[in-house]
Amino acid sequence: METQIDKLEQNKKSKEKKTQPEKEELKGTFAAVLIVGGIILVGWLGVFGLFLERA
Amino acid sequence: MHLHRYEKIWLMLGAGGLALFIVLLCVNAFAMGMAPPSNMEMIDPEKVMETPPFDKPGLKQVGDKEYDAYMTAFAFGFSPTKMEVPAGSTINFHVTSPDVVHGFQIPETNINFMVLPGHISSATHTFDKPGEYLILCNEYCGAGHQVMATTIIVK
């Protein structure tokens, strides 16, 4: 006979399988992060250039 | 805690960027001597008009092509109203307010700071190009804020 504890453990195991971080595809996220970083960097360089030009 | 390889890369880039900006900030502040325009000089805002050198605002030549400009920003104008310097002059601005918070901006230059009653704000600029430079208040200070401006003529 299955006890309630066994059922709970089975549930736990199936949940763990669903969120395995190794299997997540992060290529798109990585590209998006680099694009945002690039925009920040270009913006900073632009403002710094303006500062130097006006000094 | 498990981290994806890409997560490690972007966290390192973010942390590296933060470290780089802190280093740049320290180089600017300590090696290049860049400080905010509000230095630690104080003045009694109720006695600005009687306290030298602000009792007689104007330009004082302190060196070859170098001037100290003691100015007051008040509702609604700047004193002195007209200043003239030769091209290539460096002006050290020292500005205070006898009433409310004002702004002090010279467009096309890096001069842009707040003028707080009780404080003397300072900034320096070298005017290489001849022309008429506008000084304006960019901090809303009351009903006549829009007319609060003056000019520096660089010949």
Side-chain angles (χ1 to χ4, degrees), chain B residues 76-141:
Chain B
F76 300 98
F78 292 96
S79 186
T81 48
K82 204 179 165 188
M83 289 184 287
E84 252 187 58
V85 290
S89 297
T90 300
I91 303 180
N92 309 308
F93 294 95
H94 306 281
V95 193
T96 191
S97 161
D99 41 53
V100 295
V101 177
H102 295 282
F104 189 100
Q105 184 182 5
I106 308 175
E108 309 286 296
T109 72
N110 283 333
I111 302 282
N112 185 355
F113 54 80
M114 280 169 95
V115 184
L116 300 152
H119 292 259
I120 300 167
S121 302
S122 298
T124 296
H125 185 73
T126 302
F127 294 88
D128 288 321
K129 277 187 217 155
E132 236 184 75
Y133 289 83
L134 176 72
I135 299 177
L136 54 87
C137 173
N138 61 8
E139 197 82 39
Y140 183 72
C141 56

Side-chain angles (χ1 to χ4, degrees), chain A residues 21-22 24-27 29-30 33-34 44 50-52 54-55, chain B residues 2 4 6-7 9-10 13 21 24 28 34 108-110 125-126:
Chain A
E22 283 90 348
E24 280 170 29
E25 186 53 72
L26 289 181
K27 247 184 196 164
T29 317
F30 187 55
V33 165
L34 290 189
W44 185 86
L50 211 60
F51 173 77
L52 289 181
R54 290 174 173 186
Chain B
H2 175 83
H4 192 282
Y6 288 159
E7 274 184 302
I9 294 173
W10 72 60
L13 284 175
F21 279 108
L24 280 177
N28 273 346
M34 284 183 193
E108 309 286 296
T109 72
N110 283 333
H125 185 73
T126 302

Side-chain angles (χ1 to χ4, degrees), chain A:
Chain A
M1 202 185 98
E2 248 182 6
T3 61
Q4 238 177 339
I5 292 168
D6 285 336
K7 269 187 187 173
L8 275 174
E9 268 183 11
Q10 267 180 358
N11 271 343
K12 230 182 176 182
K13 271 180 191 169
S14 63
K15 264 185 191 169
E16 271 172 9
K17 266 182 195 168
K18 270 180 196 165
T19 53
Q20 285 254 334
E22 283 90 348
K23 300 218 169 138
E24 280 170 29
E25 186 53 72
L26 289 181
K27 247 184 196 164
T29 317
F30 187 55
V33 165
L34 290 189
I35 288 167
V36 170
I39 289 168
I40 291 170
L41 197 70
V42 167
W44 185 86
L45 285 172
V47 171
F48 190 59
L50 211 60
F51 173 77
L52 289 181
E53 194 205 320
R54 290 174 173 186

Side-chain angles (χ1 to χ4, degrees), chain B residues 39-45 51 96 117-120:
Chain B
N39 51 19
M40 296 300 285
E41 260 182 287
M42 308 282 280
I43 188 169
D44 184 346
T51 312
T96 191
H119 292 259
I120 300 167

